[in-house]
Amino acid sequence: TALRELEKLIVDTDRQIRETFERTFQATARHFEELAGELFPGGRGRLALVTEREGPARVLGGQRPTTEGEDSGDDAASEGLQDAENSAPEDLLGVEIEITPSGKDMKRLSLLSGGEKSMTALAFLFAVFLARPCPFYILDEVEAALDDLNIDRFLRLVSQYSSRTQFIVVTHQKRTMDAADSLYGVSMG
């Protein structure tokens, strides 16, 4: 009985983890599309779950264990879950970020410029922030590789969401410091 209850707890925990991840991923993907459009005017972005057939085994819960003489009536909930698991790929391993800057073909992240990579990372970070809000965020030199136009976009983004949360930005960019409500600094010399 204890083993059956533990197996049910593992199945329930796996289900809850999967459902929470799916809700968070959907919200993040929706926000990422919106933010990519803002940070890459005329461009677009998308998040997608990717699978890998030769990937590592599941870590949480492992494969559903079976025991001899297991009564299907006692475990009806986990059977329904198992049917859902069989229809959904179990080997979802990661999130792929697709970004298409305005006037360009979709590129792999490795082919983007430093500024484009930074803007893509910012779109992803803010999409996660919007999906799972927190009272404050610390950003450490996230705009270091940005040119003036993209620094303006970054600052608009921070300003737009600063009513919902507090941002602590570590920076050496004068324009970012000028936009701050409060400034704490260390200078050399």
Side-chain angles (χ1 to χ4, degrees):
T1 303
L3 182 59
R4 224 176 286 136
E5 287 176 8
L6 182 59
E7 290 170 353
K8 185 177 182 310
L9 181 62
I10 290 171
V11 169
D12 289 344
T13 303
D14 283 348
R15 178 187 48 77
Q16 186 176 9
I17 290 169
R18 186 174 44 257
E19 288 173 358
T20 301
F21 173 80
E22 288 171 359
R23 277 194 309 272
T24 303
F25 176 78
Q26 290 170 358
T28 302
R30 186 177 60 253
H31 291 299
F32 182 78
E33 288 180 19
E34 294 168 7
L35 290 165
E38 282 182 45
L39 295 176
F40 294 97
R44 62 185 191 280
R46 185 174 85 91
L47 298 180
L49 292 176
V50 293
T51 61
E52 186 176 313
R53 301 288 177 212
E54 301 290 322
R58 281 179 38 186
V59 176
L60 291 172
Q63 293 186 356
R64 184 183 183 283
T66 57
T67 57
E68 286 186 40
E70 183 173 302
D71 183 15
S72 62
D74 291 342
D75 216 6
S78 64
E79 279 184 353
L81 179 61
Q82 189 175 16
D83 291 341
E85 287 176 346
N86 289 338
S87 66
E90 278 297 324
D91 50 354
L92 295 177
L93 295 178
V95 175
E96 182 176 79
I97 298 174
E98 297 175 4
I99 197 77
T100 309
S102 178
K104 298 182 180 181
D105 293 330
M106 184 176 61
K107 292 185 174 183
R108 300 178 61 86
L109 287 178
S110 60
L111 299 176
L112 296 175
S113 70
E116 290 171 332
K117 287 179 187 176
S118 293
M119 294 301 278
T120 302
L122 286 169
F124 182 74
L125 283 174
F126 274 81
V128 172
F129 293 169
L130 293 170
R132 303 289 292 196
C134 289
F136 70 92
Y137 300 101
I138 299 174
L139 304 174
D140 186 3
E141 296 195 26
V142 294
E143 85 292 25
L146 301 181
D147 60 12
D148 288 342
L149 180 63
N150 286 325
I151 287 177
D152 286 340
R153 290 180 183 145
F154 165 70
L155 293 175
R156 268 197 313 273
L157 199 63
V158 169
S159 176
Q160 180 180 354
Y161 296 111
S162 64
S163 63
R164 297 183 191 182
T165 190
Q166 182 177 6
F167 291 98
I168 299 168
V169 181
V170 177
T171 186
H172 65 273
Q173 295 282 350
K174 183 173 177 14
R175 296 182 66 208
T176 304
M177 288 185 246
D178 287 341
D181 292 332
S182 299
L183 188 61
Y184 300 93
V186 176
S187 60
M188 296 181 65

